Amino acid sequence: MSRTGLFADIGKKARDLLTKDYISDQKLSISTYSDTGVALTSTAVKKGGLSTGDVGAQYKYKNTLIDVKVDTASNISTTLTLNDIAPSTKTIASLKFPDYSSGKLEVQYYHHHAAFSTAVGLKQSPIVDLSVTLGTPTFAIGAEASYETAEGKLAKYTAGISVTKPDSCAAIILGDKGDTIKASYIHHLDELKKSAAVGEITRRFSTNENTFTVGGSYAVDNLTIVKLKLNNHGNLGALLQHELIPKSLLTISSEFDTKALEKTPKFGVALALKP
């Protein structure tokens, strides 16, 4: 039986179609797997004139997942994920060295008609994040908030609602402490979900600014996907993703301002190689 997702899942399908895999840098990642079950991933990124990289290791044992990542700035990030310590729960602990104050402990609880999440920063006066979603896989309503214990006030609060059908999903999210409202709708145009269209409108009340974005995706074949998006400010984005060999993806994307063609377009390419 399907269960209710977290608050972050409200509007996620439309959001992913409009933003996921659109990049403006050059990225190469290579993954390998050892005989002991450890997954190793090396990543190099070039953005502008700056190059960075990291090496990550992931190991899964029963209900436990350990992630460790070391980057070229000598930062070490560690994430420990434990599933079902208690029934229907997921516990995530993250820590970063040498910035110990960025550590966080998160607990998620799933029920058929509800999902809860709480996260606490691992420092003296932490920020506490709370979210709750009620409903079914078809209809969900939820809210999230962040509380600053040092200031004794809410840093943010957001509410949302979504309606999901087999071939479509609509969502409305009120965010930025009530200053913005975002409505989105995604519709799959065929039974195999090879093509989809999406529309999203965002209004910011404090500035009376409206942003309307339309986009779409189409699976040319089993290996290739193309995506397009355009908003009312004239920003046009295009993306091509091709599976070169099983599990290995080449992604090419570009975005430019149709109202200022003299500006240099953003261009990105990513190559992810997996065995």
Side-chain angles (χ1 to χ4, degrees), residues 68-79:
V68 179
K69 184 178 292 185
V70 182
D71 64 25
T72 50
S74 299
N75 295 308
I76 303 174
S77 303
T78 304
T79 303

Side-chain angles (χ1 to χ4, degrees), residues 76-87:
I76 303 174
S77 303
T78 304
T79 303
L80 175 65
T81 304
L82 302 171
N83 290 295
D84 295 320
I85 293 182

